[in-house]
Amino acid sequence: MGVLPVPAEVRAILLDIEGTTTPIAFVQETLFPYIKDNVKEYLRTHWQEEECQRDVGLLRKQAQEDSSLDGAVPIPLESGSGEEELERVIQAVVDNVHWQMSLDRKTTALKQLQGHMWRAAYATGDVKGEIFEDVVPAIRKWREAGMKVYIYSSGSIEAQKLLFGYSTEGDILELFDGHFDTKIGPKVESESYRRIAASIGCATNNILFLTDVPREANAAEEADTHVAVVIRPGNAGLTDDEKSYYSLISSFTELFLPSST
C-alpha cells in the first residue's frame, strides 16, 4: 500500500473507531460480551437509581415499538414490590437486551444502557480501550502539522470518550477536536458528512475520512469528502473492485501530509 499523500486542501481528519483506530476483536470479543455477561448483575445493583430507571424506561418504550417483530421481547411494568416480581422484570430486560444484541440493533435505548455499563467497567479498570499502536504517534504528528482530528462512530459519543479516556495508551482524549455519532446521521448516508463539515466549519473536501467500511467510504465520497479505506487484522475483506477503486492504508503512518504553512 505504501505512502498515501493527503490532498493539500484537507484540514481535518475524521476517524472511524472499530476496525480503524481499534481492533474489531476488542468490540466483538470484549465490549459486547461484557454487556451480555454482566447486564443482569448491573441491573440488580443499580435498579433503584434514577439513571438505570431511565434506561429501563427507554428499553421498555423500544420494546413496545418492536412488538410486531419476530422474537421481540416485551418488558412488563412492575406491578408490585416483591422480590420475585422484580426478578421477573429484570430478566425481561436482560432477555430484551440479548435479543437486540443478537440482531446487532443500534437503538438509542440499547446504546444508552451499554454506554452506562461500559462507563462503570472502564472506571473500575475491568475494561481498557484497545488502540492500534500506530494511532497515537500518527495523530500527534497530524496535530503538529495543524490538522484537526475528529471521531465519527456508530457508538455513542459517551462510549467513544470512555474508550479513548481509559485506553491502553492512557487518557488520549486531548488528541481529538470533537466527536460525532449517529445523532448527526447514519454513517452510510452522504448528508451526514455534509452536516459534520458544517459543524466543523469547513467544506466537505477539507475532510479526509478513514474507515474500514466501503459503504461508509462511498457515502462520504458522494458528499465530496476525501476517503481512505483502512485495512486492519480482523477487518472484513474487500472485493477486487473495492481494492482497485479506493485508496488503501494498513497503518496511519502511511499518510503523508503536505508541509504545514
PDB file of all heavy atoms in Angstrom, residues 141-180:
ATOM      1  N   LYS A 141       1.497  13.662  15.197  1.00  0.00           N
ATOM      2  CA  LYS A 141       2.149  14.297  14.047  1.00  0.00           C
ATOM      3  C   LYS A 141       1.154  15.125  13.248  1.00  0.00           C
ATOM      4  O   LYS A 141       1.481  16.230  12.783  1.00  0.00           O
ATOM      5  CB  LYS A 141       2.804  13.233  13.158  1.00  0.00           C
ATOM      6  CG  LYS A 141       4.080  12.651  13.727  1.00  0.00           C
ATOM      7  CD  LYS A 141       4.745  11.731  12.728  1.00  0.00           C
ATOM      8  CE  LYS A 141       6.054  11.189  13.273  1.00  0.00           C
ATOM      9  NZ  LYS A 141       6.718  10.269  12.323  1.00  0.00           N
ATOM     10  N   TRP A 142      -0.048  14.576  13.046  1.00  0.00           N
ATOM     11  CA  TRP A 142      -1.061  15.327  12.301  1.00  0.00           C
ATOM     12  C   TRP A 142      -1.371  16.646  12.983  1.00  0.00           C
ATOM     13  O   TRP A 142      -1.473  17.689  12.341  1.00  0.00           O
ATOM     14  CB  TRP A 142      -2.348  14.509  12.170  1.00  0.00           C
ATOM     15  CG  TRP A 142      -2.207  13.194  11.475  1.00  0.00           C
ATOM     16  CD1 TRP A 142      -1.169  12.780  10.685  1.00  0.00           C
ATOM     17  CD2 TRP A 142      -3.137  12.104  11.518  1.00  0.00           C
ATOM     18  NE1 TRP A 142      -1.395  11.504  10.234  1.00  0.00           N
ATOM     19  CE2 TRP A 142      -2.595  11.064  10.725  1.00  0.00           C
ATOM     20  CE3 TRP A 142      -4.363  11.900  12.143  1.00  0.00           C
ATOM     21  CZ2 TRP A 142      -3.241   9.849  10.538  1.00  0.00           C
ATOM     22  CZ3 TRP A 142      -5.013  10.695  11.965  1.00  0.00           C
ATOM     23  CH2 TRP A 142      -4.455   9.685  11.173  1.00  0.00           C
ATOM     24  N   ARG A 143      -1.524  16.576  14.298  1.00  0.00           N
ATOM     25  CA  ARG A 143      -1.862  17.788  15.043  1.00  0.00           C
ATOM     26  C   ARG A 143      -0.715  18.808  14.999  1.00  0.00           C
ATOM     27  O   ARG A 143      -0.947  20.003  14.887  1.00  0.00           O
ATOM     28  CB  ARG A 143      -2.231  17.434  16.484  1.00  0.00           C
ATOM     29  CG  ARG A 143      -3.543  16.650  16.593  1.00  0.00           C
ATOM     30  CD  ARG A 143      -3.865  16.298  18.031  1.00  0.00           C
ATOM     31  NE  ARG A 143      -4.087  17.494  18.828  1.00  0.00           N
ATOM     32  CZ  ARG A 143      -5.246  18.133  18.929  1.00  0.00           C
ATOM     33  NH1 ARG A 143      -6.311  17.678  18.286  1.00  0.00           N
ATOM     34  NH2 ARG A 143      -5.365  19.203  19.680  1.00  0.00           N
ATOM     35  N   GLU A 144       0.507  18.302  15.067  1.00  0.00           N
ATOM     36  CA  GLU A 144       1.663  19.195  14.965  1.00  0.00           C
ATOM     37  C   GLU A 144       1.696  19.885  13.601  1.00  0.00           C
ATOM     38  O   GLU A 144       2.189  21.013  13.474  1.00  0.00           O
ATOM     39  CB  GLU A 144       2.958  18.406  15.184  1.00  0.00           C
ATOM     40  CG  GLU A 144       3.187  18.005  16.637  1.00  0.00           C
ATOM     41  CD  GLU A 144       4.322  17.012  16.777  1.00  0.00           C
ATOM     42  OE1 GLU A 144       5.034  16.759  15.762  1.00  0.00           O
ATOM     43  OE2 GLU A 144       4.508  16.476  17.889  1.00  0.00           O
ATOM     44  N   ALA A 145       1.169  19.203  12.574  1.00  0.00           N
ATOM     45  CA  ALA A 145       1.120  19.764  11.227  1.00  0.00           C
ATOM     46  C   ALA A 145      -0.079  20.689  11.030  1.00  0.00           C
ATOM     47  O   ALA A 145      -0.291  21.215   9.937  1.00  0.00           O
ATOM     48  CB  ALA A 145       1.088  18.636  10.194  1.00  0.00           C
ATOM     49  N   GLY A 146      -0.875  20.876  12.091  1.00  0.00           N
ATOM     50  CA  GLY A 146      -2.001  21.798  12.024  1.00  0.00           C
ATOM     51  C   GLY A 146      -3.337  21.162  11.698  1.00  0.00           C
ATOM     52  O   GLY A 146      -4.332  21.875  11.502  1.00  0.00           O
ATOM     53  N   MET A 147      -3.378  19.837  11.634  1.00  0.00           N
ATOM     54  CA  MET A 147      -4.633  19.145  11.335  1.00  0.00           C
ATOM     55  C   MET A 147      -5.555  19.115  12.558  1.00  0.00           C
ATOM     56  O   MET A 147      -5.087  18.969  13.688  1.00  0.00           O
ATOM     57  CB  MET A 147      -4.359  17.697  10.914  1.00  0.00           C
ATOM     58  CG  MET A 147      -3.823  17.534   9.521  1.00  0.00           C
ATOM     59  SD  MET A 147      -5.095  17.842   8.282  1.00  0.00           S
ATOM     60  CE  MET A 147      -4.059  17.780   6.815  1.00  0.00           C
ATOM     61  N   LYS A 148      -6.834  19.227  12.300  1.00  0.00           N
ATOM     62  CA  LYS A 148      -7.840  18.925  13.305  1.00  0.00           C
ATOM     63  C   LYS A 148      -8.182  17.435  13.174  1.00  0.00           C
ATOM     64  O   LYS A 148      -8.166  16.885  12.069  1.00  0.00           O
ATOM     65  CB  LYS A 148      -9.106  19.760  13.094  1.00  0.00           C
ATOM     66  CG  LYS A 148      -8.884  21.267  13.175  1.00  0.00           C
ATOM     67  CD  LYS A 148      -8.683  21.721  14.594  1.00  0.00           C
ATOM     68  CE  LYS A 148      -8.702  23.235  14.701  1.00  0.00           C
ATOM     69  NZ  LYS A 148      -8.496  23.699  16.091  1.00  0.00           N
ATOM     70  N   VAL A 149      -8.488  16.791  14.282  1.00  0.00           N
ATOM     71  CA  VAL A 149      -8.788  15.358  14.267  1.00  0.00           C
ATOM     72  C   VAL A 149     -10.102  15.111  15.003  1.00  0.00           C
ATOM     73  O   VAL A 149     -10.275  15.552  16.146  1.00  0.00           O
ATOM     74  CB  VAL A 149      -7.652  14.532  14.919  1.00  0.00           C
ATOM     75  CG1 VAL A 149      -7.954  13.037  14.828  1.00  0.00           C
ATOM     76  CG2 VAL A 149      -6.315  14.844  14.246  1.00  0.00           C
ATOM     77  N   TYR A 150     -11.019  14.411  14.321  1.00  0.00           N
ATOM     78  CA  TYR A 150     -12.349  14.150  14.877  1.00  0.00           C
ATOM     79  C   TYR A 150     -12.664  12.653  14.794  1.00  0.00           C
ATOM     80  O   TYR A 150     -12.104  11.928  13.969  1.00  0.00           O
ATOM     81  CB  TYR A 150     -13.421  14.923  14.093  1.00  0.00           C
ATOM     82  CG  TYR A 150     -13.261  16.416  14.145  1.00  0.00           C
ATOM     83  CD1 TYR A 150     -12.445  17.077  13.221  1.00  0.00           C
ATOM     84  CD2 TYR A 150     -13.919  17.174  15.114  1.00  0.00           C
ATOM     85  CE1 TYR A 150     -12.292  18.467  13.273  1.00  0.00           C
ATOM     86  CE2 TYR A 150     -13.777  18.560  15.162  1.00  0.00           C
ATOM     87  CZ  TYR A 150     -12.961  19.192  14.248  1.00  0.00           C
ATOM     88  OH  TYR A 150     -12.801  20.560  14.296  1.00  0.00           O
ATOM     89  N   ILE A 151     -13.589  12.229  15.639  1.00  0.00           N
ATOM     90  CA  ILE A 151     -14.072  10.848  15.633  1.00  0.00           C
ATOM     91  C   ILE A 151     -15.522  10.832  15.134  1.00  0.00           C
ATOM     92  O   ILE A 151     -16.330  11.681  15.518  1.00  0.00           O
ATOM     93  CB  ILE A 151     -14.020  10.242  17.053  1.00  0.00           C
ATOM     94  CG1 ILE A 151     -12.575  10.143  17.560  1.00  0.00           C
ATOM     95  CG2 ILE A 151     -14.703   8.872  17.081  1.00  0.00           C
ATOM     96  CD1 ILE A 151     -11.716   9.139  16.823  1.00  0.00           C
ATOM     97  N   TYR A 152     -15.835   9.831  14.294  1.00  0.00           N
ATOM     98  CA  TYR A 152     -17.226   9.604  13.858  1.00  0.00           C
ATOM     99  C   TYR A 152     -17.486   8.107  13.941  1.00  0.00           C
ATOM    100  O   TYR A 152     -16.919   7.320  13.183  1.00  0.00           O
ATOM    101  CB  TYR A 152     -17.430  10.107  12.433  1.00  0.00           C
ATOM    102  CG  TYR A 152     -18.832   9.958  11.883  1.00  0.00           C
ATOM    103  CD1 TYR A 152     -19.963   9.978  12.701  1.00  0.00           C
ATOM    104  CD2 TYR A 152     -19.032   9.808  10.506  1.00  0.00           C
ATOM    105  CE1 TYR A 152     -21.242   9.857  12.178  1.00  0.00           C
ATOM    106  CE2 TYR A 152     -20.312   9.702   9.968  1.00  0.00           C
ATOM    107  CZ  TYR A 152     -21.409   9.722  10.799  1.00  0.00           C
ATOM    108  OH  TYR A 152     -22.681   9.604  10.269  1.00  0.00           O
ATOM    109  N   SER A 153     -18.330   7.712  14.890  1.00  0.00           N
ATOM    110  CA  SER A 153     -18.588   6.297  15.128  1.00  0.00           C
ATOM    111  C   SER A 153     -20.065   6.066  15.379  1.00  0.00           C
ATOM    112  O   SER A 153     -20.782   6.955  15.830  1.00  0.00           O
ATOM    113  CB  SER A 153     -17.785   5.827  16.353  1.00  0.00           C
ATOM    114  OG  SER A 153     -18.140   4.521  16.729  1.00  0.00           O
ATOM    115  N   SER A 154     -20.518   4.840  15.096  1.00  0.00           N
ATOM    116  CA  SER A 154     -21.908   4.493  15.406  1.00  0.00           C
ATOM    117  C   SER A 154     -22.098   4.322  16.910  1.00  0.00           C
ATOM    118  O   SER A 154     -23.208   4.378  17.410  1.00  0.00           O
ATOM    119  CB  SER A 154     -22.336   3.220  14.671  1.00  0.00           C
ATOM    120  OG  SER A 154     -21.478   2.157  14.999  1.00  0.00           O
ATOM    121  N   GLY A 155     -21.014   4.118  17.644  1.00  0.00           N
ATOM    122  CA  GLY A 155     -21.088   4.110  19.102  1.00  0.00           C
ATOM    123  C   GLY A 155     -21.337   5.514  19.619  1.00  0.00           C
ATOM    124  O   GLY A 155     -20.907   6.498  19.008  1.00  0.00           O
ATOM    125  N   SER A 156     -22.035   5.631  20.732  1.00  0.00           N
ATOM    126  CA  SER A 156     -22.374   6.942  21.276  1.00  0.00           C
ATOM    127  C   SER A 156     -21.122   7.751  21.596  1.00  0.00           C
ATOM    128  O   SER A 156     -20.042   7.202  21.813  1.00  0.00           O
ATOM    129  CB  SER A 156     -23.212   6.796  22.546  1.00  0.00           C
ATOM    130  OG  SER A 156     -22.412   6.271  23.602  1.00  0.00           O
ATOM    131  N   ILE A 157     -21.277   9.069  21.622  1.00  0.00           N
ATOM    132  CA  ILE A 157     -20.150   9.940  21.970  1.00  0.00           C
ATOM    133  C   ILE A 157     -19.624   9.576  23.356  1.00  0.00           C
ATOM    134  O   ILE A 157     -18.410   9.558  23.586  1.00  0.00           O
ATOM    135  CB  ILE A 157     -20.574  11.425  21.891  1.00  0.00           C
ATOM    136  CG1 ILE A 157     -20.752  11.825  20.416  1.00  0.00           C
ATOM    137  CG2 ILE A 157     -19.549  12.327  22.571  1.00  0.00           C
ATOM    138  CD1 ILE A 157     -21.301  13.217  20.198  1.00  0.00           C
ATOM    139  N   GLU A 158     -20.528   9.266  24.270  1.00  0.00           N
ATOM    140  CA  GLU A 158     -20.078   8.868  25.613  1.00  0.00           C
ATOM    141  C   GLU A 158     -19.210   7.624  25.544  1.00  0.00           C
ATOM    142  O   GLU A 158     -18.146   7.554  26.175  1.00  0.00           O
ATOM    143  CB  GLU A 158     -21.274   8.620  26.536  1.00  0.00           C
ATOM    144  CG  GLU A 158     -20.831   8.235  27.947  1.00  0.00           C
ATOM    145  CD  GLU A 158     -21.991   8.013  28.910  1.00  0.00           C
ATOM    146  OE1 GLU A 158     -23.107   7.715  28.440  1.00  0.00           O
ATOM    147  OE2 GLU A 158     -21.764   8.135  30.115  1.00  0.00           O
ATOM    148  N   ALA A 159     -19.628   6.626  24.751  1.00  0.00           N
ATOM    149  CA  ALA A 159     -18.846   5.390  24.625  1.00  0.00           C
ATOM    150  C   ALA A 159     -17.494   5.667  23.976  1.00  0.00           C
ATOM    151  O   ALA A 159     -16.469   5.076  24.355  1.00  0.00           O
ATOM    152  CB  ALA A 159     -19.622   4.355  23.815  1.00  0.00           C
ATOM    153  N   GLN A 160     -17.479   6.572  23.002  1.00  0.00           N
ATOM    154  CA  GLN A 160     -16.214   6.953  22.355  1.00  0.00           C
ATOM    155  C   GLN A 160     -15.250   7.546  23.377  1.00  0.00           C
ATOM    156  O   GLN A 160     -14.065   7.193  23.429  1.00  0.00           O
ATOM    157  CB  GLN A 160     -16.471   7.987  21.264  1.00  0.00           C
ATOM    158  CG  GLN A 160     -17.314   7.523  20.103  1.00  0.00           C
ATOM    159  CD  GLN A 160     -17.662   8.676  19.175  1.00  0.00           C
ATOM    160  OE1 GLN A 160     -16.917   9.634  19.050  1.00  0.00           O
ATOM    161  NE2 GLN A 160     -18.803   8.592  18.507  1.00  0.00           N
ATOM    162  N   LYS A 161     -15.761   8.467  24.187  1.00  0.00           N
ATOM    163  CA  LYS A 161     -14.902   9.160  25.153  1.00  0.00           C
ATOM    164  C   LYS A 161     -14.394   8.205  26.228  1.00  0.00           C
ATOM    165  O   LYS A 161     -13.271   8.355  26.732  1.00  0.00           O
ATOM    166  CB  LYS A 161     -15.657  10.337  25.768  1.00  0.00           C
ATOM    167  CG  LYS A 161     -15.871  11.484  24.776  1.00  0.00           C
ATOM    168  CD  LYS A 161     -16.562  12.668  25.415  1.00  0.00           C
ATOM    169  CE  LYS A 161     -16.641  13.836  24.443  1.00  0.00           C
ATOM    170  NZ  LYS A 161     -17.321  15.010  25.020  1.00  0.00           N
ATOM    171  N   LEU A 162     -15.186   7.210  26.560  1.00  0.00           N
ATOM    172  CA  LEU A 162     -14.735   6.208  27.521  1.00  0.00           C
ATOM    173  C   LEU A 162     -13.592   5.386  26.937  1.00  0.00           C
ATOM    174  O   LEU A 162     -12.581   5.135  27.601  1.00  0.00           O
ATOM    175  CB  LEU A 162     -15.898   5.290  27.914  1.00  0.00           C
ATOM    176  CG  LEU A 162     -16.966   5.905  28.806  1.00  0.00           C
ATOM    177  CD1 LEU A 162     -18.188   4.996  28.874  1.00  0.00           C
ATOM    178  CD2 LEU A 162     -16.430   6.177  30.201  1.00  0.00           C
ATOM    179  N   LEU A 163     -13.745   4.958  25.683  1.00  0.00           N
ATOM    180  CA  LEU A 163     -12.729   4.135  25.039  1.00  0.00           C
ATOM    181  C   LEU A 163     -11.384   4.865  24.998  1.00  0.00           C
ATOM    182  O   LEU A 163     -10.341   4.293  25.326  1.00  0.00           O
ATOM    183  CB  LEU A 163     -13.187   3.757  23.627  1.00  0.00           C
ATOM    184  CG  LEU A 163     -12.380   2.682  22.901  1.00  0.00           C
ATOM    185  CD1 LEU A 163     -13.257   1.992  21.852  1.00  0.00           C
ATOM    186  CD2 LEU A 163     -11.131   3.238  22.221  1.00  0.00           C
ATOM    187  N   PHE A 164     -11.417   6.152  24.603  1.00  0.00           N
ATOM    188  CA  PHE A 164     -10.171   6.898  24.469  1.00  0.00           C
ATOM    189  C   PHE A 164      -9.704   7.496  25.802  1.00  0.00           C
ATOM    190  O   PHE A 164      -8.520   7.791  25.970  1.00  0.00           O
ATOM    191  CB  PHE A 164     -10.323   7.999  23.421  1.00  0.00           C
ATOM    192  CG  PHE A 164     -10.518   7.463  22.026  1.00  0.00           C
ATOM    193  CD1 PHE A 164     -11.704   7.683  21.333  1.00  0.00           C
ATOM    194  CD2 PHE A 164      -9.523   6.726  21.413  1.00  0.00           C
ATOM    195  CE1 PHE A 164     -11.883   7.182  20.048  1.00  0.00           C
ATOM    196  CE2 PHE A 164      -9.695   6.211  20.124  1.00  0.00           C
ATOM    197  CZ  PHE A 164     -10.884   6.438  19.448  1.00  0.00           C
ATOM    198  N   GLY A 165     -10.618   7.668  26.726  1.00  0.00           N
ATOM    199  CA  GLY A 165     -10.251   8.203  28.033  1.00  0.00           C
ATOM    200  C   GLY A 165      -9.640   7.159  28.948  1.00  0.00           C
ATOM    201  O   GLY A 165      -8.858   7.487  29.844  1.00  0.00           O
ATOM    202  N   TYR A 166     -10.016   5.891  28.728  1.00  0.00           N
ATOM    203  CA  TYR A 166      -9.482   4.789  29.533  1.00  0.00           C
ATOM    204  C   TYR A 166      -8.854   3.759  28.593  1.00  0.00           C
ATOM    205  O   TYR A 166      -9.217   2.589  28.586  1.00  0.00           O
ATOM    206  CB  TYR A 166     -10.598   4.122  30.348  1.00  0.00           C
ATOM    207  CG  TYR A 166     -11.240   5.008  31.390  1.00  0.00           C
ATOM    208  CD1 TYR A 166     -12.356   5.777  31.079  1.00  0.00           C
ATOM    209  CD2 TYR A 166     -10.747   5.054  32.695  1.00  0.00           C
ATOM    210  CE1 TYR A 166     -12.968   6.588  32.034  1.00  0.00           C
ATOM    211  CE2 TYR A 166     -11.353   5.849  33.654  1.00  0.00           C
ATOM    212  CZ  TYR A 166     -12.455   6.614  33.320  1.00  0.00           C
ATOM    213  OH  TYR A 166     -13.056   7.403  34.275  1.00  0.00           O
ATOM    214  N   SER A 167      -7.901   4.195  27.791  1.00  0.00           N
ATOM    215  CA  SER A 167      -7.326   3.331  26.762  1.00  0.00           C
ATOM    216  C   SER A 167      -6.039   2.675  27.232  1.00  0.00           C
ATOM    217  O   SER A 167      -5.466   3.029  28.269  1.00  0.00           O
ATOM    218  CB  SER A 167      -7.050   4.141  25.493  1.00  0.00           C
ATOM    219  OG  SER A 167      -5.796   4.795  25.567  1.00  0.00           O
ATOM    220  N   THR A 168      -5.572   1.715  26.447  1.00  0.00           N
ATOM    221  CA  THR A 168      -4.289   1.076  26.711  1.00  0.00           C
ATOM    222  C   THR A 168      -3.138   2.075  26.590  1.00  0.00           C
ATOM    223  O   THR A 168      -2.032   1.809  27.063  1.00  0.00           O
ATOM    224  CB  THR A 168      -4.059  -0.086  25.722  1.00  0.00           C
ATOM    225  OG1 THR A 168      -4.322   0.385  24.377  1.00  0.00           O
ATOM    226  CG2 THR A 168      -5.004  -1.243  26.010  1.00  0.00           C
ATOM    227  N   GLU A 169      -3.398   3.222  25.969  1.00  0.00           N
ATOM    228  CA  GLU A 169      -2.399   4.295  25.841  1.00  0.00           C
ATOM    229  C   GLU A 169      -2.632   5.393  26.880  1.00  0.00           C
ATOM    230  O   GLU A 169      -2.036   6.466  26.798  1.00  0.00           O
ATOM    231  CB  GLU A 169      -2.468   4.902  24.426  1.00  0.00           C
ATOM    232  CG  GLU A 169      -2.261   3.914  23.307  1.00  0.00           C
ATOM    233  CD  GLU A 169      -0.827   3.419  23.227  1.00  0.00           C
ATOM    234  OE1 GLU A 169       0.089   4.191  23.579  1.00  0.00           O
ATOM    235  OE2 GLU A 169      -0.625   2.261  22.828  1.00  0.00           O
ATOM    236  N   GLY A 170      -3.518   5.142  27.837  1.00  0.00           N
ATOM    237  CA  GLY A 170      -3.868   6.160  28.825  1.00  0.00           C
ATOM    238  C   GLY A 170      -5.021   7.023  28.332  1.00  0.00           C
ATOM    239  O   GLY A 170      -5.752   6.657  27.408  1.00  0.00           O
ATOM    240  N   ASP A 171      -5.173   8.193  28.938  1.00  0.00           N
ATOM    241  CA  ASP A 171      -6.226   9.129  28.542  1.00  0.00           C
ATOM    242  C   ASP A 171      -5.713   9.946  27.356  1.00  0.00           C
ATOM    243  O   ASP A 171      -4.831  10.789  27.490  1.00  0.00           O
ATOM    244  CB  ASP A 171      -6.563  10.064  29.710  1.00  0.00           C
ATOM    245  CG  ASP A 171      -7.691  11.042  29.380  1.00  0.00           C
ATOM    246  OD1 ASP A 171      -8.077  11.137  28.190  1.00  0.00           O
ATOM    247  OD2 ASP A 171      -8.168  11.717  30.299  1.00  0.00           O
ATOM    248  N   ILE A 172      -6.271   9.676  26.155  1.00  0.00           N
ATOM    249  CA  ILE A 172      -5.815  10.366  24.943  1.00  0.00           C
ATOM    250  C   ILE A 172      -6.899  11.260  24.345  1.00  0.00           C
ATOM    251  O   ILE A 172      -6.832  11.636  23.177  1.00  0.00           O
ATOM    252  CB  ILE A 172      -5.299   9.365  23.890  1.00  0.00           C
ATOM    253  CG1 ILE A 172      -6.381   8.337  23.515  1.00  0.00           C
ATOM    254  CG2 ILE A 172      -4.043   8.656  24.383  1.00  0.00           C
ATOM    255  CD1 ILE A 172      -6.009   7.469  22.326  1.00  0.00           C
ATOM    256  N   LEU A 173      -7.873  11.629  25.146  1.00  0.00           N
ATOM    257  CA  LEU A 173      -8.963  12.472  24.650  1.00  0.00           C
ATOM    258  C   LEU A 173      -8.463  13.820  24.130  1.00  0.00           C
ATOM    259  O   LEU A 173      -9.073  14.413  23.247  1.00  0.00           O
ATOM    260  CB  LEU A 173     -10.006  12.695  25.752  1.00  0.00           C
ATOM    261  CG  LEU A 173     -10.950  11.522  26.007  1.00  0.00           C
ATOM    262  CD1 LEU A 173     -11.787  11.780  27.254  1.00  0.00           C
ATOM    263  CD2 LEU A 173     -11.849  11.272  24.800  1.00  0.00           C
ATOM    264  N   GLU A 174      -7.345  14.295  24.671  1.00  0.00           N
ATOM    265  CA  GLU A 174      -6.820  15.595  24.246  1.00  0.00           C
ATOM    266  C   GLU A 174      -6.418  15.602  22.774  1.00  0.00           C
ATOM    267  O   GLU A 174      -6.241  16.664  22.177  1.00  0.00           O
ATOM    268  CB  GLU A 174      -5.607  15.962  25.093  1.00  0.00           C
ATOM    269  CG  GLU A 174      -4.420  15.027  24.889  1.00  0.00           C
ATOM    270  CD  GLU A 174      -3.187  15.419  25.677  1.00  0.00           C
ATOM    271  OE1 GLU A 174      -3.310  16.302  26.554  1.00  0.00           O
ATOM    272  OE2 GLU A 174      -2.120  14.844  25.415  1.00  0.00           O
ATOM    273  N   LEU A 175      -6.273  14.419  22.173  1.00  0.00           N
ATOM    274  CA  LEU A 175      -5.858  14.340  20.778  1.00  0.00           C
ATOM    275  C   LEU A 175      -6.989  14.653  19.807  1.00  0.00           C
ATOM    276  O   LEU A 175      -6.744  14.828  18.612  1.00  0.00           O
ATOM    277  CB  LEU A 175      -5.313  12.944  20.463  1.00  0.00           C
ATOM    278  CG  LEU A 175      -4.063  12.500  21.216  1.00  0.00           C
ATOM    279  CD1 LEU A 175      -3.649  11.094  20.797  1.00  0.00           C
ATOM    280  CD2 LEU A 175      -2.918  13.478  20.979  1.00  0.00           C
ATOM    281  N   PHE A 176      -8.221  14.724  20.302  1.00  0.00           N
ATOM    282  CA  PHE A 176      -9.374  14.883  19.415  1.00  0.00           C
ATOM    283  C   PHE A 176     -10.037  16.240  19.600  1.00  0.00           C
ATOM    284  O   PHE A 176     -10.207  16.723  20.719  1.00  0.00           O
ATOM    285  CB  PHE A 176     -10.383  13.755  19.657  1.00  0.00           C
ATOM    286  CG  PHE A 176      -9.758  12.391  19.528  1.00  0.00           C
ATOM    287  CD1 PHE A 176      -9.554  11.594  20.641  1.00  0.00           C
ATOM    288  CD2 PHE A 176      -9.337  11.923  18.296  1.00  0.00           C
ATOM    289  CE1 PHE A 176      -8.951  10.360  20.538  1.00  0.00           C
ATOM    290  CE2 PHE A 176      -8.732  10.685  18.170  1.00  0.00           C
ATOM    291  CZ  PHE A 176      -8.533   9.903  19.290  1.00  0.00           C
ATOM    292  N   ASP A 177     -10.411  16.825  18.480  1.00  0.00           N
ATOM    293  CA  ASP A 177     -11.066  18.139  18.494  1.00  0.00           C
ATOM    294  C   ASP A 177     -12.576  18.047  18.613  1.00  0.00           C
ATOM    295  O   ASP A 177     -13.250  19.060  18.826  1.00  0.00           O
ATOM    296  CB  ASP A 177     -10.686  18.909  17.223  1.00  0.00           C
ATOM    297  CG  ASP A 177      -9.203  19.246  17.190  1.00  0.00           C
ATOM    298  OD1 ASP A 177      -8.801  20.203  17.870  1.00  0.00           O
ATOM    299  OD2 ASP A 177      -8.444  18.528  16.508  1.00  0.00           O
ATOM    300  N   GLY A 178     -13.118  16.849  18.479  1.00  0.00           N
ATOM    301  CA  GLY A 178     -14.561  16.679  18.614  1.00  0.00           C
ATOM    302  C   GLY A 178     -14.985  15.261  18.268  1.00  0.00           C
ATOM    303  O   GLY A 178     -14.191  14.467  17.733  1.00  0.00           O
ATOM    304  N   HIS A 179     -16.220  14.947  18.608  1.00  0.00           N
ATOM    305  CA  HIS A 179     -16.768  13.604  18.411  1.00  0.00           C
ATOM    306  C   HIS A 179     -18.146  13.691  17.766  1.00  0.00           C
ATOM    307  O   HIS A 179     -18.944  14.576  18.095  1.00  0.00           O
ATOM    308  CB  HIS A 179     -16.910  12.880  19.754  1.00  0.00           C
ATOM    309  CG  HIS A 179     -15.613  12.670  20.470  1.00  0.00           C
ATOM    310  ND1 HIS A 179     -14.960  11.470  20.503  1.00  0.00           N
ATOM    311  CD2 HIS A 179     -14.833  13.531  21.177  1.00  0.00           C
ATOM    312  CE1 HIS A 179     -13.843  11.592  21.199  1.00  0.00           C
ATOM    313  NE2 HIS A 179     -13.752  12.834  21.623  1.00  0.00           N
ATOM    314  N   PHE A 180     -18.425  12.751  16.875  1.00  0.00           N
ATOM    315  CA  PHE A 180     -19.739  12.647  16.246  1.00  0.00           C
ATOM    316  C   PHE A 180     -20.220  11.203  16.343  1.00  0.00           C
ATOM    317  O   PHE A 180     -19.428  10.268  16.225  1.00  0.00           O
ATOM    318  CB  PHE A 180     -19.680  13.058  14.772  1.00  0.00           C
ATOM    319  CG  PHE A 180     -19.232  14.475  14.548  1.00  0.00           C
ATOM    320  CD1 PHE A 180     -17.907  14.762  14.281  1.00  0.00           C
ATOM    321  CD2 PHE A 180     -20.142  15.529  14.620  1.00  0.00           C
ATOM    322  CE1 PHE A 180     -17.481  16.073  14.083  1.00  0.00           C
ATOM    323  CE2 PHE A 180     -19.728  16.836  14.434  1.00  0.00           C
ATOM    324  CZ  PHE A 180     -18.394  17.112  14.158  1.00  0.00           C
TER     325      PHE A 180
END
